[in-house]
């Protein structure tokens, strides 16, 4: 059982993260400062999760106190750039507050998985490198026995060792970020950072500053110069998720990075060279967006050197039960219920479902059923799959960039709204007078979750004029 140390001075956050990880099956200890963490022998843990700002020494000091243990930095959005700087000091990743439980668990699982694939004795020669490449194979990161996924794996293996820019296309929940991670881990840049950026989750007013950095005084609030995410990825890979949401100004700047391999910070007159391998992903049809002027045509052709399409789950029916069993095994281990299994009727229900949310929806369904089932056999009733409404799902509306499509499903009565109905009504009624941050706060979710639900329900974010 992996051991995790949490270093956080805010009691509510520390307690919430501890309970979350313990429920997920991890052994957890916690401390309120670096000094207190020192008494717990931090080098003996498999992972350290620490806040950036702590009383006394900063959270980055844990990198020096436990040099053999990976450190995950927690930071507020306002300190995001400091988190990027901490990665230069040796942190393996960062997560911005407020974060979803799923985000935290995914970050922890990814870091621990990466640690397990690293060779025990670095620098031991050619055989070590071969072992690492084998463990980093896309088939070890993603699951897929069907022919479409085998073609994806073959393509990843061929393009990963090159410096070619890659565009990953696929619907939400298909595993685009996993494909990007496989491309990075199979490349010569595997020892350098992979910086992942969700372009839709960053406010438009800050996206250029986040990507390219800024000089002191470049705008109100820029009290000091900061490093951008592209510069933080220097020597490694930059994964731009949902690049179709990138504003026009940022698109022009990104084009220069691809053409000249250089960046210029906001407010600076000087450019500097960067060595970054670019990986982009989108669920939208970028070529169609170039015809409407939403996306630069020259940037599209710079990005679309090599395209990898991740098939939706409905096109890989033979993988559904295999994925379900993997998710069920993981949940059984977390819950301490190794006898959990699927009934034949549940298997049939899984195979019949269209899975508009793809692999992510399947994983959530298995997790929910594992918790709700009273016995060791999961039945269709606890899976609670909406097979009747699945025929209404038309993914082409999002793929073709037609985000004006909204759900036509009506609630059974005016006073009986589902959660998704409530979400849609609330957003449509309030988005003209509330910012994305205010909407997310009122709904009790993160900006990222708000954006993902917008995409799933076909409610586009209104662009500022």
């Amino acid at each position: 059982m992996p051991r995790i140390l949490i270093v956080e001075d805010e009691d509510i956050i520390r307690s919430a993260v501890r309970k979350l990880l313990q429920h997920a099956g991890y052994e957890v200890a916690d401390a309120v400062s670096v000094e207190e963490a020192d008494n717990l022998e931090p080098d003996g843990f498999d992972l350290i999760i620490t806040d950036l700002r702590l009383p006394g020494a900063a959270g980055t000091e844990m990198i020096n106190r436990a040099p053999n243990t990976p450190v995950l930095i927690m930071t507020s959005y306002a300190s995001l750039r400091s988190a990027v700087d901490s990665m230069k000091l040796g942190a393996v990743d960062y997560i911005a507050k407020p974060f979803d439980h799923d985000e935290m668990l995914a970050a922890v699982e990814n870091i621990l998985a990466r640690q397990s694939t690293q060779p025990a004795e670095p620098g031991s020669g050619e055989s070590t490198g071969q072992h690492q490449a084998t463990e980093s194979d896309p088939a070890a990161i993603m699951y897929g026995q069907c022919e479409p996924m085998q073609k994806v794996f073959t393509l990843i293996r061929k393009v990963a060792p090159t410096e070619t820019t890659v565009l990953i296309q696929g619907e939400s929940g298909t595993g685009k970020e996993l494909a990007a991670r496989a491309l990075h881990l199979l490349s010569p840049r595997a020892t350098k950072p992979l910086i992942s950026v969700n372009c839709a989750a960053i406010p438009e007013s800050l996206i250029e500053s986040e990507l390219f950095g800024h000089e002191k005084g470049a705008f109100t609030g820029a009290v000091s110069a900061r490093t951008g995410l592209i510069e933080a990825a220097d020597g490694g890979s930059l994964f731009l998720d949902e690049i179709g949401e990138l504003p026009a100004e940022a698109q022009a700047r990104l084009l220069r990075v691809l053409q000249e391999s250089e960046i210029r910070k906001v407010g600076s007159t000087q450019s500097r060279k960067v060595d970054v391998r670019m990986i982009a992903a989108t669920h939208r049809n970028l070529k169609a967006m170039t015809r409407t002027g939403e996306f630069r045509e020259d940037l599209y052709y710079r990005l679309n050197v090599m395209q990898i399409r991740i098939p939706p789950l409905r096109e890989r029916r033979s993988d559904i039960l295999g994925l379900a069993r993997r998710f069920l095994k993981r949940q059984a281990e977390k819950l301490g219920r190794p006898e959990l299994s699927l009934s034949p009727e549940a298997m049939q229900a899984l195979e019949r479902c269209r899975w508009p949310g793809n692999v992510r929806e399947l994983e959530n369904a298995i997790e929910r059923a594992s918790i709700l089932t009273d016995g060791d056999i999961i039945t269709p009733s606890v899976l609670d799959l909406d097979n009747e409404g699945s025929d209404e799902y038309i993914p082409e509306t999002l793929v073709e960039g037609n985000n004006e499509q909204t759900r036509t499903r009506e609630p059974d009565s005016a006073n009986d709204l589902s959660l998704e109905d409530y979400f849609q009504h609330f957003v449509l009624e309030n988005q003209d007078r509330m910012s994305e941050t205010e909407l997310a706060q009122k709904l009790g979710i993160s900006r990222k979750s708000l954006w993902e639900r917008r995409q799933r329900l076909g409610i586009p974010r209104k662009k500022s004029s």
Side-chain angles (χ1 to χ4, degrees):
M1 180 186 298
R3 299 180 67 230
I4 299 176
L5 173 61
I6 303 169
V7 189
E8 167 62 69
D9 61 319
E10 293 188 32
D11 294 340
I12 295 177
I13 296 177
R14 187 176 66 254
S15 175
V17 176
R18 182 180 65 244
K19 290 177 181 177
L20 173 68
L21 296 176
Q22 286 175 337
H23 179 71
Y26 298 109
E27 183 180 338
V28 183
D30 59 64
V32 298
S33 66
V34 171
E35 290 72 19
E36 184 178 323
D38 243 354
N39 299 326
L40 300 176
E41 299 182 358
D43 244 341
F45 289 85
D46 298 291
L47 172 63
I48 296 173
I49 303 174
T50 178
D51 191 16
L52 189 61
R53 299 173 184 268
L54 295 168
T60 50
E61 180 61 25
M62 294 305 304
I63 300 170
N64 300 323
R65 304 285 177 100
N68 298 318
T69 304
V71 176
L72 171 64
I73 297 289
M74 293 187 293
T75 179
S76 65
Y77 183 80
S79 304
L80 189 57
R81 296 176 189 279
S82 299
V84 174
D85 293 339
S86 72
M87 292 188 68
K88 291 186 173 182
L89 297 176
V92 295
D93 206 347
Y94 65 85
I95 185 168
K97 301 176 184 176
F99 45 78
D100 294 335
H101 287 182
D102 289 344
E103 288 181 80
M104 173 60 78
L105 290 176
V108 169
E109 289 178 8
N110 291 340
I111 293 170
L112 293 176
R114 267 184 277 167
Q115 289 301 112
S116 66
T117 62
Q118 289 181 356
E121 298 179 3
S124 59
E126 185 178 346
S127 60
T128 298
Q130 291 174 347
H131 171 75
Q132 187 174 9
T134 301
E135 292 297 327
S136 302
D137 190 81
I141 299 173
M142 308 168 69
Y143 176 85
Q145 301 294 331
C146 66
E147 184 179 351
M149 286 303 293
Q150 289 300 314
K151 290 181 178 178
V152 169
F153 294 162
T154 300
L155 196 53
I156 290 176
R157 294 184 190 108
K158 287 182 177 180
V159 73
T162 72
E163 292 295 307
T164 301
T165 301
V166 180
L167 178 62
I168 304 172
Q169 292 198 299
E171 296 174 15
S172 295
T174 51
K176 297 189 292 294
E177 187 167 355
L178 291 177
R181 188 177 305 125
L183 285 166
H184 176 72
L185 292 177
L186 273 174
S187 75
R189 299 171 178 264
T191 57
K192 299 294 183 178
L194 168 65
I195 303 293
S196 299
V197 183
N198 189 320
C199 298
I202 303 176
E204 288 187 28
S205 59
L206 295 177
I207 188 71
E208 289 185 71
S209 177
E210 290 295 326
L211 288 177
F212 304 96
H214 67 255
E215 295 290 356
K216 180 179 179 180
F219 52 84
T220 303
V223 295
S224 62
R226 292 292 186 177
T227 300
L229 296 172
I230 295 177
E231 188 175 351
D234 195 15
S237 304
L238 178 71
F239 174 52
L240 296 176
D241 197 7
E242 296 306 339
I243 197 167
E245 307 298 321
L246 208 59
E249 296 82 0
Q251 290 181 32
R253 281 179 170 267
L254 184 62
L255 180 62
R256 184 165 184 82
V257 176
L258 290 167
Q259 289 177 333
E260 309 295 338
S261 297
E262 64 181 29
I263 61 169
R264 188 172 68 243
K265 292 183 177 181
V266 176
S268 173
T269 58
Q270 302 294 321
S271 298
R272 75 176 298 269
K273 289 288 185 180
V274 289
D275 176 23
V276 175
R277 201 268 182 89
M278 198 76 67
I279 304 171
T282 182
H283 73 285
R284 303 183 68 180
N285 188 330
L286 293 186
K287 190 169 185 179
M289 291 174 66
T290 64
R291 293 195 290 268
T292 62
E294 295 178 84
F295 201 81
R296 291 181 64 108
E297 188 174 19
D298 47 4
L299 178 57
Y300 168 70
Y301 287 114
R302 281 286 180 178
L303 290 170
N304 194 32
V305 180
M306 179 65 69
Q307 185 177 129
I308 296 177
R309 177 183 177 271
I310 311 296
L313 195 52
R314 62 185 174 279
E315 292 181 11
R316 38 187 299 214
R317 293 281 177 183
S318 59
D319 283 343
I320 291 177
L321 291 184
L323 283 164
R325 292 189 183 99
R326 286 166 67 97
F327 295 145
L328 183 60
K329 181 180 179 182
R330 186 186 305 169
Q331 286 300 317
E333 291 174 353
K334 289 181 180 179
L335 299 173
R337 303 173 63 184
E339 302 302 320
L340 280 178
S341 62
L342 295 162
S343 71
E345 294 79 13
M347 293 182 190
Q348 292 177 2
L350 290 172
E351 290 182 312
R352 285 198 303 266
C353 187
R354 286 185 57 82
W355 300 111
N358 294 297
V359 179
R360 186 185 294 121
E361 183 186 3
L362 173 59
E363 183 176 13
N364 291 342
I366 295 297
E367 180 177 358
R368 180 174 62 248
S370 301
I371 295 171
L372 294 178
T373 185
D374 293 323
D376 292 330
I377 306 296
I378 292 177
T379 62
S381 61
V382 291
L383 279 173
D384 192 26
L385 302 179
D386 186 16
N387 285 310
E388 293 182 357
S390 62
D391 290 336
E392 296 175 6
Y393 176 72
I394 307 174
E396 287 77 10
T397 58
L398 288 182
V399 175
E400 295 300 324
N402 177 15
N403 286 335
E404 298 302 320
Q405 176 77 20
T406 56
R407 289 170 61 107
T408 57
R409 181 182 174 187
E410 296 293 335
D412 294 336
S413 69
N415 297 320
D416 186 23
L417 296 179
S418 69
L419 287 175
E420 289 194 346
D421 291 326
Y422 174 80
F423 174 89
Q424 181 168 325
H425 280 78
F426 184 87
V427 171
L428 290 174
E429 288 176 5
N430 295 284
Q431 64 179 354
D432 290 336
R433 61 184 182 87
M434 289 186 182
S435 67
E436 292 296 287
T437 300
E438 290 171 330
L439 282 172
Q441 289 174 344
K442 290 290 185 182
L443 289 166
I445 59 178
S446 69
R447 280 178 55 89
K448 181 180 179 183
S449 294
L450 172 62
W451 175 83
E452 288 179 341
R453 293 186 190 184
R454 276 185 178 278
Q455 303 308 305
R456 189 170 70 245
L457 297 177
I459 311 173
R461 180 175 68 176
K462 292 198 172 183
K463 301 288 184 182
S464 57
S465 57

